[in-house]
């Protein structure tokens, strides 16, 4: 019996993404994507790790789905590798790529596991990057063509669609700071990228509606609850600017049809404002069925004269952190859920990612005792429960991640999985947290 009972039809799931787990980077007709290219350049990734093999999910997906079944996990968020479908990003279709996802999704459904499909989780076909990538407005139209193909092929199979995963990361880490693929450092271009990605989202939602499909469609945003370091009004303003930078720059166009005025003013003053055609806003604001949010940690922000362009910088507190160095702050999820409920008309929410990396060790009995991860997950789920009890419209939770996997610039050094992957032999070891999560699902709630 659970102490914290979740709503009857609450969605309990786990999440992954194509580049992080599939491997088979150049198999069965798949085209090169920007992460294949970015990881091939020495110095970009921890120890020059890459996703050429990753968790070899492309070949091991049936065994991985058996683990989901064994654990009683009946919702699974995955992403599609665009370059497996369209090796050049558009035009010729790679039928073997289509067949892989048909087999994957049909196997999930045959076992009673509901798929949630992300169309774009960062792995842009390299051919499209060669023409400017998301900075080129033409790529918007190629994304729509890709989505239309996916809706025609999978629209009747897949009940939950996510257009994009974390446009803030796509634009800022990929095009402003060069930490992620394609490794560009151009802040103004990054803001143009963010706009084009949002425009592509809106066009795909509009397309989905026109095809009269029966599922739900939304977008996933990484949201950082922002808190001022002190009660000094400069810090309070800095926290608000950080909230605008990470959260409202994406939430407002999608849910209100306009960019936040304070950030437009700031970017205009800094000569960073890109082309933001007014006629695009109505498209970006196309009504979504749910907002996906990825929550990991909070931001504590102080005024910082030297910080460009926001005059705001994060403060590292001496609090418990995950292996990523991210503060463990469950209340930040509660506060974010209430913030969304109050400021965005009670929009339906799916938590499409929440989880933690810790330095997992396989003990002498071949077991991974990850009590720290169970603690992190339990504390965050208690905050979700509290928000639902306050009336916040949270419909589901996808734990990041199902498997240990390629953690972008950190390579395989960071383990987020509830299933341990031994990359030397591709063995899977079910961690204690996975058994714990299976119980949460069975009880539809938490014991403590
Ligand atoms: N300071 N700080 N920052 C906290 C937020 C950083 C933004 N990164 C994410 O949210 C990525 C998201 C991604 O979808 C997944 O593909 C990644 O594997 C996870 C784990 O990294 C998360």
């Amino acid at each position: 019996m659970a102490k914290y009972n979740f709503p009857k039809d609450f969605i309990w799931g786990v999440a992954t993404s194509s580049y992080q787990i599939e491997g088979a980077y150049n198999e069965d007709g798949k085209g090169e994507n920007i992460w294949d290219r970015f990881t091939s350049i020495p110095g970009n990734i921890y120890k020059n790790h890459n996703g050429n093999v990753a968790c070899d999910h492309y070949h091991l997906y049936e065994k991985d789905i058996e683990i989901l079944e064994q654990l009683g996990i009946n919702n699974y968020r995955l992403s599609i590798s665009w370059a497996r479908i369209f090796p050049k990003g558009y035009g010729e279709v790679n039928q073997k790529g289509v067949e892989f996802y048909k087999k994957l999704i049909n196997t999930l459904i045959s076992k009673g596991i509901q798929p949630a499909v992300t169309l774009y989780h960062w792995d842009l076909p390299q051919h499209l990057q060669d023409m400017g990538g998301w900075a080129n407005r033409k790529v918007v139209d190629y994304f729509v063509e890709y989505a239309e193909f996916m809706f025609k092929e999978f629209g009747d199979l897949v009940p939950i669609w996510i257009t994009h995963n974390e446009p803030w990361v796509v634009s800022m880490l990929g095009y402003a700071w060069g930490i992620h693929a394609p490794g560009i450092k151009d802040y103004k271009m990054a803001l143009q990228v963010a706009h084009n990605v949002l425009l592509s989202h809106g066009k795909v939602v509009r397309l989905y509606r026109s095809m009269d499909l029966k599922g739900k469609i939304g977008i996933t945003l990484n949201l950082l609850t922002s808190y001022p370091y002190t009660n000094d009004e400069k810090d309070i303003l800095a926290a608000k600017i950080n909230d605008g930078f990470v959260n409202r720059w994406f939430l407002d166009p999608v849910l209100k049809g306009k960019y936040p005025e304070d950030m437009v003013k700031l970017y205009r003053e800094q000569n960073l404002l890109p082309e933001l055609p007014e006629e695009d806003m109505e498209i970006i604001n196309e009504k979504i069925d749910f907002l996906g949010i990825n929550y990991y940690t909070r931001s504590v922000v102080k005024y910082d004269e030297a910080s460009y362009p926001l005059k705001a910088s994060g403060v590292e507190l001496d609090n418990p952190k995950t292996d990523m160095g991210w503060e463990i702050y469950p209340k930040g999820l509660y506060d974010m859920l209430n913030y969304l409920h109050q400021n965005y008309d009670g929009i339906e929410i799916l938590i499409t990612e929440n989880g933690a990396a810790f330095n997992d060790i396989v003990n002498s009995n071949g077991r991974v005792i990850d009590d720290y991860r169970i603690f992190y997950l339990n504390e965050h789920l208690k905050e979700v429960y509290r928000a639902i009890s306050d009336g916040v419209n949270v419909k589901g939770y996808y734990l990041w991640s199902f498997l240990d996997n390629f953690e972008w610039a950190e390579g395989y050094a960071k383990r987020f999985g509830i299933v341990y992957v031994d990359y030397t032999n591709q063995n899977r070891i079910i961690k204690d947290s996975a058994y714990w999560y299976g119980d949460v699902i069975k009880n539809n709630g938490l014991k403590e």
Side-chain angles (χ1 to χ4, degrees), residues 38-179:
F38 190 69
T39 57
S40 72
I41 300 160
N44 281 340
I45 308 295
Y46 173 80
K47 289 190 179 174
N48 296 324
H49 289 171
N50 60 51
N52 293 357
V53 177
C55 308
D56 200 23
H57 182 70
Y58 186 80
H59 300 108
L60 301 174
Y61 73 92
E62 287 165 307
K63 285 175 64 176
D64 289 334
I65 293 173
E66 281 167 17
I67 295 173
L68 289 174
E69 200 182 9
Q70 177 191 337
L71 293 169
I73 297 172
N74 45 29
N75 292 280
Y76 178 59
R77 177 183 172 225
L78 64 130
S79 82
I80 305 293
S81 174
W82 185 346
R84 264 195 217 291
I85 307 294
F86 290 104
K88 293 290 185 197
Y90 57 86
E92 189 187 339
V93 171
N94 172 36
Q95 209 48 49
K96 283 188 176 176
V98 178
E99 276 151 33
F100 167 67
Y101 290 111
K102 275 279 167 75
K103 283 185 293 184
L104 172 57
I105 289 170
N106 280 317
T107 305
L108 287 165
I109 291 169
S110 72
K111 292 173 182 290
I113 300 168
Q114 175 172 261
V117 170
T118 307
L119 285 168
Y120 188 74
H121 200 123
W122 307 357
D123 41 4
L124 187 76
Q126 182 60 42
H127 184 65
L128 297 182
Q129 190 60 44
D130 294 342
M131 62 174 75
W134 286 107
N136 179 351
R137 196 176 162 102
K138 186 77 189 112
V139 170
V140 170
D141 299 326
Y142 292 134
F143 183 68
V144 174
E145 282 176 34
Y146 156 57
E148 183 172 21
F149 179 87
M150 291 305 294
F151 293 156
K152 283 177 180 167
E153 288 289 327
F154 296 89
D156 294 335
L157 278 178
V158 173
I160 298 174
W161 291 91
I162 295 162
T163 55
H164 278 283
N165 181 73
E166 303 195 345
W168 180 85
V169 172
V170 169
S171 53
M172 300 315 294
L173 274 71
Y175 287 81
W177 302 326
I179 302 168

Side-chain angles (χ1 to χ4, degrees), residues 209-432:
R209 302 294 181 223
S210 75
M211 295 173 73
D212 198 22
L213 290 163
K214 301 290 175 274
K216 289 186 171 186
I217 190 164
I219 187 171
T220 278
L221 303 178
N222 58 288
L223 299 177
L224 268 175
T225 327
S226 292
Y227 302 84
Y229 181 46
T230 71
N231 287 334
D232 182 310
E233 61 183 26
K234 283 189 168 182
D235 287 353
I236 291 170
L237 176 63
K240 189 168 182 309
I241 294 292
N242 190 64
D243 174 59
F245 168 55
V246 181
N247 306 325
R248 290 181 288 115
W249 192 256
F250 299 90
L251 286 165
D252 286 13
V254 170
L255 297 171
K256 296 181 174 178
K258 62 181 177 46
Y259 283 99
E261 260 317 302
D262 58 341
M263 298 311 294
V264 170
K265 181 171 176 292
L266 184 152
Y267 287 137
R268 184 179 290 117
E269 284 164 359
Q270 303 275 355
N271 294 317
L272 291 172
L273 210 56
E275 297 295 316
L276 305 174
E278 189 49 41
E279 62 272 16
D280 292 348
M281 301 318 291
E282 188 187 348
I283 300 169
I284 295 173
N285 186 220
E286 187 71 23
K287 189 181 177 314
I288 53 178
D289 300 305
F290 64 86
L291 173 70
I293 73 165
N294 292 352
Y295 176 86
Y296 287 92
T297 187
R298 67 165 172 175
S299 265
V300 177
V301 185
K302 70 177 180 184
Y303 174 76
D304 177 356
E305 183 67 35
S307 161
Y308 172 81
L310 304 175
K311 289 190 172 47
S313 55
V315 176
E316 182 164 344
L317 303 178
D318 187 19
N319 290 340
K321 297 178 179 65
T322 70
D323 210 25
M324 293 293 281
W326 298 345
E327 182 191 358
I328 299 173
Y329 193 72
K331 186 177 176 295
L333 178 51
Y334 172 80
D335 290 342
M336 178 50 73
L337 290 170
N338 274 291
Y339 174 91
L340 294 169
H341 193 69
Q342 284 146 28
N343 294 289
Y344 298 96
D345 295 330
I347 178 84
E348 179 173 318
I349 294 168
L350 284 178
I351 296 168
T352 40
E353 287 178 34
N354 173 247
F358 290 105
N359 181 24
D360 297 319
I361 305 290
V362 182
N363 74 12
S364 53
N365 300 319
R367 189 177 151 198
V368 178
I369 303 173
D370 56 341
D371 292 350
Y372 32 75
R373 183 173 285 107
I374 292 172
F375 172 77
Y376 176 100
L377 297 169
N378 195 76
E379 291 308 300
H380 283 79
L381 281 168
K382 272 191 337 198
E383 297 299 337
V384 175
Y385 179 83
R386 204 150 66 91
I388 292 172
S389 307
D390 291 353
V392 179
N393 194 4
V394 187
K395 295 294 184 196
Y397 175 93
Y398 292 84
L399 193 161
W400 186 269
S401 181
F402 171 39
L403 301 170
D404 291 338
N405 60 54
F406 178 79
E407 179 46 39
W408 309 113
E410 310 284 343
Y412 298 101
K414 305 299 179 192
R415 293 181 177 275
F416 275 88
I418 57 172
V419 174
Y420 185 95
V421 176
D422 180 337
Y423 298 107
T424 64
N425 55 26
Q426 290 299 344
N427 284 350
R428 273 69 164 140
I429 300 172
I430 297 176
K431 300 179 192 176
D432 284 9

